[in-house]
């Protein structure tokens, strides 16, 4: 079989249950050369996001059938660009007290195998962008504060990356943080506006497609120890989903962004202008996608994105489940 081309990739995340599933997919995919993971406030406070990523990566690594070098994890922004308090109430009911479904309260956390890094997320994002340019793929699955700070550090470098795939926003779909706004964008609308306008090729994977990417609970049934751990990881997330949406499964918001980077054909996109509402009214954090007929965004990339409007959810779930077989104890 022809060797798959490896794309140098950075994941910026706020782990978070679905972030953990996204990292699992990335580590199990030979097409992804995961160079770094950066963490940011969002589902959990920044320090917890950093701790969680440093637990999830070794936990996944030790369960891979074919061991591979693991990415370094770097700490990122603790507050949105405009500052402000992060309210954890809703996140705790979705992701558990520890942000990982309380997985490592039910299981011993892995030995902290990763060394502590001295650089912060925005430095690493800017430096990898400058060093790798068009060959770098950035997958952003949390609030966009780190990326916006990296744009401020080196606008030219960020504009020159291969692509930025964002799990965030929603096209013509109510939000999940408020009626108008999706959680990642709602956490830091100013950062989202900076990133949307940075000039890099952006793919926006919004709620309008991720809400269709549901892994049924039964898919986490049975199997070995690793699948049992994923079942524990997803416990509170599924409970919340059943109570609030009557959906008995894991909505794989973040893994769909990784999958769209792996196989762009999984989603159908329109190149459209996207603006982020940064006012203080009820629409704050809304992504306004210009879907009027003929409103194709101009060739220029400023303030525009490839907005995912369609998804082949069956093909996505097949890909996701097939990659999990890379872990010992999945089956
Ligand atoms: O709206 C879904 C997004 O918000 C996901 O990235 C989830 O992890 C939370 O961060
Ligand atoms: Ca996330």
């Amino acid at each position: 079989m022809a060797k798959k081309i490896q794309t140098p990739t950075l994941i910026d995340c706020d782990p978070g249950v679905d972030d953990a599933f996204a990292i699992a997919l990335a580590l199990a995919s030979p097409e992804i050369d995961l160079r770094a993971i950066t963490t940011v406030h969002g589902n959990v406070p920044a320090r917890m996001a950093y701790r969680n990523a440093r637990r999830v990566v070794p936990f996944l690594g030790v369960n891979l059938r074919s061991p591979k070098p693991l990415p370094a994890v770097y700490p990122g922004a603790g507050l949105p660009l405009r500052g402000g308090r992060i309210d954890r109430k809703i996140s705790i009911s979705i992701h558990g007290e520890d942000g990982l479904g309380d997985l490592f309260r039910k299981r011993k956390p892995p030995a902290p195998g990763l060394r502590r890094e001295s650089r912060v997320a925005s430095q690493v994002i800017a430096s990898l962008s400058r060093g790798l340019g068009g060959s770098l793929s950035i997958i952003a699955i949390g609030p966009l504060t780190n990326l916006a700070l990296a744009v401020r550090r080196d606008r030219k470098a960020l504009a020159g990356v291969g692509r930025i795939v964002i799990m965030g926003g929603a096209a013509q779909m109510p939000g999940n943080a408020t009626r108008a706004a999706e959680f990642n964008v709602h956490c830091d609308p100013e950062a989202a506006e900076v990133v949307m306008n940075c000039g890099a090729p952006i793919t926006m994977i919004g709620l309008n497609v991720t809400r269709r990417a549901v892994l049924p609970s039964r898919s986490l049934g049975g199997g070995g120890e690793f699948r049992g751990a994923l079942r524990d990881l997803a416990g509170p997330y599924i409970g919340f989903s059943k109570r609030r949406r009557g959906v008995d499964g894991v909505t794989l918001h973040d893994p769909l962004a990784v999958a769209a980077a792996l196989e762009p054909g999984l989603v159908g996109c329109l190149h459209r202008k996207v603006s982020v509402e940064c006012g203080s009214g009820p629409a704050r954090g809304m992504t306004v996608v210009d879907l009027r007929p003929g409103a194709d965004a101009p060739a220029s990339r400023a303030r525009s994105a490839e907005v995912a409007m369609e998804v082949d959810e069956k093909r996505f779930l097949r890909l996701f489940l097939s990659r999990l077989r890379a872990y010992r104890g999945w089956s």
Side-chain angles (χ1 to χ4, degrees), residues 14 18-19 43 141-142 184 254:
D14 60 333
D18 59 324
D19 303 71
N43 288 320
I141 54 177
N184 287 337
D254 293 340

Side-chain angles (χ1 to χ4, degrees), residues 14 16-19 43 95 141-143 167 176 182-184 207 237 253-254:
D14 60 333
V17 170
D18 59 324
D19 303 71
N43 288 320
H95 299 273
I141 54 177
M167 191 281 126
N176 56 357
E182 177 279 328
F183 179 82
N184 287 337
L207 290 179
Y237 196 92
H253 300 286
D254 293 340

Side-chain angles (χ1 to χ4, degrees), residues 87-104:
D87 175 3
R88 279 204 68 202
K89 227 178 7 284
I90 192 90
S91 290
I92 288 174
S93 55
I94 300 172
H95 299 273
E97 278 290 338
D98 73 348
L100 294 175
D102 297 329
L103 172 64
F104 295 119

Side-chain angles (χ1 to χ4, degrees), residues 12-13 37-41 46-47 49-51 53-54 72-78 115-125 146:
D12 187 68
C13 59
I37 290 179
T38 52
T39 57
V40 67
H41 68 88
R47 287 168 59 86
Y50 178 56
R51 182 204 66 184
R54 284 166 52 80
V73 175
Y74 299 88
R115 70 173 189 279
R116 284 195 171 279
E117 302 295 339
S118 56
R119 291 187 295 165
V120 296
S122 60
Q123 286 174 298
V124 175
I125 297 167
N146 289 335

